[in-house]
Amino acid sequence: MKKPLGVILAGGQATRMGGGDKGLIKLGKQTILSRVIERLEPQVANLALNANGDKKRFDNFGLPVLPDDVEGHAGPLAGVLAGLDWAAQLGWTTIVTVAADTPFFPCDLVPRLLEATEGMEHRLALAAAPRKAGEFTKSMSRSGLIRHPTFGIWPVALRNNLRTALTGGLRKVVLWTDPNGGRLVNFDEVENPFFNVNTPEDLEIAKFMVNGS
């Protein structure tokens, strides 16, 4: 199978960071988004960025910018749909998505997702990682894994199904992936592989992770 296309989801409103684009924040000598691109690019056939608003702010990255086609800040599934529509235009069957504010995700994310979905009629899976002691989030599955719904592999064949769901008001990722046979892929080798920069405090932690001091 040829490599999937990659879509970086940057459509969030970043309210806990005071608004703006978290991906454009500097982390060391690079922006967070630059680090995400650097990590994902070798794993996929081509890249695009899902973002809303003025596309010119991303001109320096040289990527296609795909706005949501669903009104009202419909969440990450709207970005997935934009990516699937882009892939369909290019004749691709699958995309892999990552979040624009998560600069340390696994360098083998894509091959692991591909391996886990081998043999499925429609490749659909979300990344997951073990929860820490005492940790509980709304993204926790029954198995105790923490799901990371912005990191996944998605089939172009289900894009109209997804469009219908979004038009009907569905917003939560797992309420669409679970009924469509989505799997979880456990990335348990590295501690906190999907650490994301949500707050100013998270940014300070990320700086420590980059600099080691």
mmCIF file with all atom_site columns, all heavy atoms in Angstrom, residues 140-157:
data_model
loop_
_atom_site.group_PDB
_atom_site.id
_atom_site.type_symbol
_atom_site.label_atom_id
_atom_site.label_alt_id
_atom_site.label_comp_id
_atom_site.label_asym_id
_atom_site.label_entity_id
_atom_site.label_seq_id
_atom_site.pdbx_PDB_ins_code
_atom_site.Cartn_x
_atom_site.Cartn_y
_atom_site.Cartn_z
_atom_site.occupancy
_atom_site.B_iso_or_equiv
_atom_site.pdbx_formal_charge
_atom_site.auth_seq_id
_atom_site.auth_comp_id
_atom_site.auth_asym_id
_atom_site.auth_atom_id
_atom_site.pdbx_PDB_model_num
ATOM 1   N N   . MET A 1 140 ? -11.137 8.506  27.922 1.00 0.00 ? 140 MET A N   1
ATOM 2   C CA  . MET A 1 140 ? -10.693 7.196  28.369 1.00 0.00 ? 140 MET A CA  1
ATOM 3   C C   . MET A 1 140 ? -11.655 6.117  27.881 1.00 0.00 ? 140 MET A C   1
ATOM 4   O O   . MET A 1 140 ? -12.864 6.226  28.040 1.00 0.00 ? 140 MET A O   1
ATOM 5   C CB  . MET A 1 140 ? -10.579 7.151  29.892 1.00 0.00 ? 140 MET A CB  1
ATOM 6   C CG  . MET A 1 140 ? -9.925  5.880  30.406 1.00 0.00 ? 140 MET A CG  1
ATOM 7   S SD  . MET A 1 140 ? -9.485  5.978  32.158 1.00 0.00 ? 140 MET A SD  1
ATOM 8   C CE  . MET A 1 140 ? -11.109 6.040  32.911 1.00 0.00 ? 140 MET A CE  1
ATOM 9   N N   . SER A 1 141 ? -11.105 5.062  27.290 1.00 0.00 ? 141 SER A N   1
ATOM 10  C CA  . SER A 1 141 ? -11.922 3.959  26.812 1.00 0.00 ? 141 SER A CA  1
ATOM 11  C C   . SER A 1 141 ? -12.197 2.988  27.946 1.00 0.00 ? 141 SER A C   1
ATOM 12  O O   . SER A 1 141 ? -11.646 3.085  29.036 1.00 0.00 ? 141 SER A O   1
ATOM 13  C CB  . SER A 1 141 ? -11.193 3.231  25.677 1.00 0.00 ? 141 SER A CB  1
ATOM 14  O OG  . SER A 1 141 ? -10.052 2.557  26.183 1.00 0.00 ? 141 SER A OG  1
ATOM 15  N N   . ARG A 1 142 ? -13.046 2.009  27.687 1.00 0.00 ? 142 ARG A N   1
ATOM 16  C CA  . ARG A 1 142 ? -13.378 1.013  28.697 1.00 0.00 ? 142 ARG A CA  1
ATOM 17  C C   . ARG A 1 142 ? -12.152 0.199  29.101 1.00 0.00 ? 142 ARG A C   1
ATOM 18  O O   . ARG A 1 142 ? -12.091 -0.356 30.194 1.00 0.00 ? 142 ARG A O   1
ATOM 19  C CB  . ARG A 1 142 ? -14.484 0.088  28.180 1.00 0.00 ? 142 ARG A CB  1
ATOM 20  C CG  . ARG A 1 142 ? -15.828 0.794  28.016 1.00 0.00 ? 142 ARG A CG  1
ATOM 21  C CD  . ARG A 1 142 ? -16.870 -0.166 27.472 1.00 0.00 ? 142 ARG A CD  1
ATOM 22  N NE  . ARG A 1 142 ? -18.161 0.498  27.286 1.00 0.00 ? 142 ARG A NE  1
ATOM 23  C CZ  . ARG A 1 142 ? -19.227 -0.087 26.757 1.00 0.00 ? 142 ARG A CZ  1
ATOM 24  N NH1 . ARG A 1 142 ? -19.166 -1.345 26.364 1.00 0.00 ? 142 ARG A NH1 1
ATOM 25  N NH2 . ARG A 1 142 ? -20.353 0.586  26.607 1.00 0.00 ? 142 ARG A NH2 1
ATOM 26  N N   . SER A 1 143 ? -11.175 0.094  28.213 1.00 0.00 ? 143 SER A N   1
ATOM 27  C CA  . SER A 1 143 ? -9.961  -0.664 28.503 1.00 0.00 ? 143 SER A CA  1
ATOM 28  C C   . SER A 1 143 ? -9.008  0.107  29.415 1.00 0.00 ? 143 SER A C   1
ATOM 29  O O   . SER A 1 143 ? -8.005  -0.441 29.863 1.00 0.00 ? 143 SER A O   1
ATOM 30  C CB  . SER A 1 143 ? -9.236  -0.999 27.193 1.00 0.00 ? 143 SER A CB  1
ATOM 31  O OG  . SER A 1 143 ? -8.794  0.193  26.564 1.00 0.00 ? 143 SER A OG  1
ATOM 32  N N   . GLY A 1 144 ? -9.320  1.372  29.696 1.00 0.00 ? 144 GLY A N   1
ATOM 33  C CA  . GLY A 1 144 ? -8.440  2.189  30.520 1.00 0.00 ? 144 GLY A CA  1
ATOM 34  C C   . GLY A 1 144 ? -7.435  2.980  29.724 1.00 0.00 ? 144 GLY A C   1
ATOM 35  O O   . GLY A 1 144 ? -6.666  3.757  30.272 1.00 0.00 ? 144 GLY A O   1
ATOM 36  N N   . LEU A 1 145 ? -7.419  2.802  28.396 1.00 0.00 ? 145 LEU A N   1
ATOM 37  C CA  . LEU A 1 145 ? -6.524  3.586  27.545 1.00 0.00 ? 145 LEU A CA  1
ATOM 38  C C   . LEU A 1 145 ? -7.091  4.987  27.332 1.00 0.00 ? 145 LEU A C   1
ATOM 39  O O   . LEU A 1 145 ? -8.307  5.176  27.288 1.00 0.00 ? 145 LEU A O   1
ATOM 40  C CB  . LEU A 1 145 ? -6.339  2.907  26.185 1.00 0.00 ? 145 LEU A CB  1
ATOM 41  C CG  . LEU A 1 145 ? -5.630  1.558  26.167 1.00 0.00 ? 145 LEU A CG  1
ATOM 42  C CD1 . LEU A 1 145 ? -5.647  0.990  24.756 1.00 0.00 ? 145 LEU A CD1 1
ATOM 43  C CD2 . LEU A 1 145 ? -4.197  1.695  26.674 1.00 0.00 ? 145 LEU A CD2 1
ATOM 44  N N   . ILE A 1 146 ? -6.199  5.953  27.197 1.00 0.00 ? 146 ILE A N   1
ATOM 45  C CA  . ILE A 1 146 ? -6.608  7.312  26.859 1.00 0.00 ? 146 ILE A CA  1
ATOM 46  C C   . ILE A 1 146 ? -6.585  7.452  25.347 1.00 0.00 ? 146 ILE A C   1
ATOM 47  O O   . ILE A 1 146 ? -5.548  7.319  24.709 1.00 0.00 ? 146 ILE A O   1
ATOM 48  C CB  . ILE A 1 146 ? -5.669  8.354  27.499 1.00 0.00 ? 146 ILE A CB  1
ATOM 49  C CG1 . ILE A 1 146 ? -5.635  8.186  29.016 1.00 0.00 ? 146 ILE A CG1 1
ATOM 50  C CG2 . ILE A 1 146 ? -6.114  9.767  27.121 1.00 0.00 ? 146 ILE A CG2 1
ATOM 51  C CD1 . ILE A 1 146 ? -6.950  8.414  29.709 1.00 0.00 ? 146 ILE A CD1 1
ATOM 52  N N   . ARG A 1 147 ? -7.736  7.710  24.774 1.00 0.00 ? 147 ARG A N   1
ATOM 53  C CA  . ARG A 1 147 ? -7.824  7.881  23.322 1.00 0.00 ? 147 ARG A CA  1
ATOM 54  C C   . ARG A 1 147 ? -7.356  9.276  22.936 1.00 0.00 ? 147 ARG A C   1
ATOM 55  O O   . ARG A 1 147 ? -7.622  10.245 23.640 1.00 0.00 ? 147 ARG A O   1
ATOM 56  C CB  . ARG A 1 147 ? -9.257  7.664  22.851 1.00 0.00 ? 147 ARG A CB  1
ATOM 57  C CG  . ARG A 1 147 ? -9.732  6.247  23.029 1.00 0.00 ? 147 ARG A CG  1
ATOM 58  C CD  . ARG A 1 147 ? -11.179 6.074  22.642 1.00 0.00 ? 147 ARG A CD  1
ATOM 59  N NE  . ARG A 1 147 ? -12.084 6.692  23.593 1.00 0.00 ? 147 ARG A NE  1
ATOM 60  C CZ  . ARG A 1 147 ? -13.278 6.215  23.907 1.00 0.00 ? 147 ARG A CZ  1
ATOM 61  N NH1 . ARG A 1 147 ? -13.701 5.099  23.357 1.00 0.00 ? 147 ARG A NH1 1
ATOM 62  N NH2 . ARG A 1 147 ? -14.054 6.842  24.776 1.00 0.00 ? 147 ARG A NH2 1
ATOM 63  N N   . HIS A 1 148 ? -6.694  9.361  21.802 1.00 0.00 ? 148 HIS A N   1
ATOM 64  C CA  . HIS A 1 148 ? -6.233  10.647 21.273 1.00 0.00 ? 148 HIS A CA  1
ATOM 65  C C   . HIS A 1 148 ? -6.889  10.841 19.900 1.00 0.00 ? 148 HIS A C   1
ATOM 66  O O   . HIS A 1 148 ? -6.312  10.501 18.862 1.00 0.00 ? 148 HIS A O   1
ATOM 67  C CB  . HIS A 1 148 ? -4.708  10.667 21.199 1.00 0.00 ? 148 HIS A CB  1
ATOM 68  C CG  . HIS A 1 148 ? -4.068  10.576 22.549 1.00 0.00 ? 148 HIS A CG  1
ATOM 69  N ND1 . HIS A 1 148 ? -3.869  11.687 23.349 1.00 0.00 ? 148 HIS A ND1 1
ATOM 70  C CD2 . HIS A 1 148 ? -3.647  9.518  23.262 1.00 0.00 ? 148 HIS A CD2 1
ATOM 71  C CE1 . HIS A 1 148 ? -3.324  11.311 24.494 1.00 0.00 ? 148 HIS A CE1 1
ATOM 72  N NE2 . HIS A 1 148 ? -3.180  10.004 24.464 1.00 0.00 ? 148 HIS A NE2 1
ATOM 73  N N   . PRO A 1 149 ? -8.108  11.379 19.906 1.00 0.00 ? 149 PRO A N   1
ATOM 74  C CA  . PRO A 1 149 ? -8.934  11.351 18.696 1.00 0.00 ? 149 PRO A CA  1
ATOM 75  C C   . PRO A 1 149 ? -8.474  12.242 17.555 1.00 0.00 ? 149 PRO A C   1
ATOM 76  O O   . PRO A 1 149 ? -9.017  12.140 16.461 1.00 0.00 ? 149 PRO A O   1
ATOM 77  C CB  . PRO A 1 149 ? -10.311 11.780 19.210 1.00 0.00 ? 149 PRO A CB  1
ATOM 78  C CG  . PRO A 1 149 ? -10.052 12.505 20.485 1.00 0.00 ? 149 PRO A CG  1
ATOM 79  C CD  . PRO A 1 149 ? -8.837  11.877 21.082 1.00 0.00 ? 149 PRO A CD  1
ATOM 80  N N   . THR A 1 150 ? -7.499  13.119 17.786 1.00 0.00 ? 150 THR A N   1
ATOM 81  C CA  . THR A 1 150 ? -6.960  13.890 16.653 1.00 0.00 ? 150 THR A CA  1
ATOM 82  C C   . THR A 1 150 ? -5.838  13.132 15.948 1.00 0.00 ? 150 THR A C   1
ATOM 83  O O   . THR A 1 150 ? -5.342  13.594 14.919 1.00 0.00 ? 150 THR A O   1
ATOM 84  C CB  . THR A 1 150 ? -6.446  15.260 17.118 1.00 0.00 ? 150 THR A CB  1
ATOM 85  O OG1 . THR A 1 150 ? -5.545  15.077 18.222 1.00 0.00 ? 150 THR A OG1 1
ATOM 86  C CG2 . THR A 1 150 ? -7.588  16.165 17.543 1.00 0.00 ? 150 THR A CG2 1
ATOM 87  N N   . PHE A 1 151 ? -5.442  11.989 16.498 1.00 0.00 ? 151 PHE A N   1
ATOM 88  C CA  . PHE A 1 151 ? -4.417  11.146 15.878 1.00 0.00 ? 151 PHE A CA  1
ATOM 89  C C   . PHE A 1 151 ? -5.081  9.862  15.400 1.00 0.00 ? 151 PHE A C   1
ATOM 90  O O   . PHE A 1 151 ? -5.476  9.017  16.207 1.00 0.00 ? 151 PHE A O   1
ATOM 91  C CB  . PHE A 1 151 ? -3.315  10.811 16.889 1.00 0.00 ? 151 PHE A CB  1
ATOM 92  C CG  . PHE A 1 151 ? -2.423  11.976 17.194 1.00 0.00 ? 151 PHE A CG  1
ATOM 93  C CD1 . PHE A 1 151 ? -2.814  12.929 18.122 1.00 0.00 ? 151 PHE A CD1 1
ATOM 94  C CD2 . PHE A 1 151 ? -1.216  12.134 16.540 1.00 0.00 ? 151 PHE A CD2 1
ATOM 95  C CE1 . PHE A 1 151 ? -2.005  14.020 18.402 1.00 0.00 ? 151 PHE A CE1 1
ATOM 96  C CE2 . PHE A 1 151 ? -0.403  13.225 16.806 1.00 0.00 ? 151 PHE A CE2 1
ATOM 97  C CZ  . PHE A 1 151 ? -0.794  14.170 17.729 1.00 0.00 ? 151 PHE A CZ  1
ATOM 98  N N   . GLY A 1 152 ? -5.228  9.730  14.082 1.00 0.00 ? 152 GLY A N   1
ATOM 99  C CA  . GLY A 1 152 ? -5.909  8.548  13.583 1.00 0.00 ? 152 GLY A CA  1
ATOM 100 C C   . GLY A 1 152 ? -5.707  8.337  12.100 1.00 0.00 ? 152 GLY A C   1
ATOM 101 O O   . GLY A 1 152 ? -5.126  9.166  11.398 1.00 0.00 ? 152 GLY A O   1
ATOM 102 N N   . ILE A 1 153 ? -6.179  7.195  11.649 1.00 0.00 ? 153 ILE A N   1
ATOM 103 C CA  . ILE A 1 153 ? -6.194  6.873  10.222 1.00 0.00 ? 153 ILE A CA  1
ATOM 104 C C   . ILE A 1 153 ? -7.655  6.778  9.802  1.00 0.00 ? 153 ILE A C   1
ATOM 105 O O   . ILE A 1 153 ? -8.488  6.215  10.537 1.00 0.00 ? 153 ILE A O   1
ATOM 106 C CB  . ILE A 1 153 ? -5.411  5.576  9.935  1.00 0.00 ? 153 ILE A CB  1
ATOM 107 C CG1 . ILE A 1 153 ? -5.335  5.317  8.422  1.00 0.00 ? 153 ILE A CG1 1
ATOM 108 C CG2 . ILE A 1 153 ? -5.983  4.372  10.671 1.00 0.00 ? 153 ILE A CG2 1
ATOM 109 C CD1 . ILE A 1 153 ? -4.324  4.244  8.047  1.00 0.00 ? 153 ILE A CD1 1
ATOM 110 N N   . TRP A 1 154 ? -7.958  7.360  8.636  1.00 0.00 ? 154 TRP A N   1
ATOM 111 C CA  . TRP A 1 154 ? -9.349  7.563  8.239  1.00 0.00 ? 154 TRP A CA  1
ATOM 112 C C   . TRP A 1 154 ? -9.536  7.166  6.769  1.00 0.00 ? 154 TRP A C   1
ATOM 113 O O   . TRP A 1 154 ? -8.717  7.542  5.917  1.00 0.00 ? 154 TRP A O   1
ATOM 114 C CB  . TRP A 1 154 ? -9.732  9.034  8.397  1.00 0.00 ? 154 TRP A CB  1
ATOM 115 C CG  . TRP A 1 154 ? -9.328  9.627  9.705  1.00 0.00 ? 154 TRP A CG  1
ATOM 116 C CD1 . TRP A 1 154 ? -8.100  10.144 10.024 1.00 0.00 ? 154 TRP A CD1 1
ATOM 117 C CD2 . TRP A 1 154 ? -10.133 9.755  10.883 1.00 0.00 ? 154 TRP A CD2 1
ATOM 118 N NE1 . TRP A 1 154 ? -8.094  10.593 11.319 1.00 0.00 ? 154 TRP A NE1 1
ATOM 119 C CE2 . TRP A 1 154 ? -9.325  10.366 11.888 1.00 0.00 ? 154 TRP A CE2 1
ATOM 120 C CE3 . TRP A 1 154 ? -11.454 9.434  11.191 1.00 0.00 ? 154 TRP A CE3 1
ATOM 121 C CZ2 . TRP A 1 154 ? -9.805  10.650 13.153 1.00 0.00 ? 154 TRP A CZ2 1
ATOM 122 C CZ3 . TRP A 1 154 ? -11.931 9.711  12.460 1.00 0.00 ? 154 TRP A CZ3 1
ATOM 123 C CH2 . TRP A 1 154 ? -11.111 10.313 13.416 1.00 0.00 ? 154 TRP A CH2 1
ATOM 124 N N   . PRO A 1 155 ? -10.628 6.471  6.434  1.00 0.00 ? 155 PRO A N   1
ATOM 125 C CA  . PRO A 1 155 ? -10.856 6.032  5.054  1.00 0.00 ? 155 PRO A CA  1
ATOM 126 C C   . PRO A 1 155 ? -11.690 7.028  4.243  1.00 0.00 ? 155 PRO A C   1
ATOM 127 O O   . PRO A 1 155 ? -12.733 7.499  4.707  1.00 0.00 ? 155 PRO A O   1
ATOM 128 C CB  . PRO A 1 155 ? -11.619 4.720  5.244  1.00 0.00 ? 155 PRO A CB  1
ATOM 129 C CG  . PRO A 1 155 ? -12.406 4.933  6.509  1.00 0.00 ? 155 PRO A CG  1
ATOM 130 C CD  . PRO A 1 155 ? -11.593 5.877  7.375  1.00 0.00 ? 155 PRO A CD  1
ATOM 131 N N   . VAL A 1 156 ? -11.222 7.308  3.066  1.00 0.00 ? 156 VAL A N   1
ATOM 132 C CA  . VAL A 1 156 ? -11.966 8.194  2.168  1.00 0.00 ? 156 VAL A CA  1
ATOM 133 C C   . VAL A 1 156 ? -13.347 7.608  1.852  1.00 0.00 ? 156 VAL A C   1
ATOM 134 O O   . VAL A 1 156 ? -14.315 8.350  1.658  1.00 0.00 ? 156 VAL A O   1
ATOM 135 C CB  . VAL A 1 156 ? -11.152 8.439  0.879  1.00 0.00 ? 156 VAL A CB  1
ATOM 136 C CG1 . VAL A 1 156 ? -11.990 9.160  -0.175 1.00 0.00 ? 156 VAL A CG1 1
ATOM 137 C CG2 . VAL A 1 156 ? -9.899  9.251  1.197  1.00 0.00 ? 156 VAL A CG2 1
ATOM 138 N N   . ALA A 1 157 ? -13.445 6.284  1.864  1.00 0.00 ? 157 ALA A N   1
ATOM 139 C CA  . ALA A 1 157 ? -14.710 5.634  1.512  1.00 0.00 ? 157 ALA A CA  1
ATOM 140 C C   . ALA A 1 157 ? -15.855 6.013  2.448  1.00 0.00 ? 157 ALA A C   1
ATOM 141 O O   . ALA A 1 157 ? -17.029 5.894  2.072  1.00 0.00 ? 157 ALA A O   1
ATOM 142 C CB  . ALA A 1 157 ? -14.521 4.117  1.512  1.00 0.00 ? 157 ALA A CB  1
#
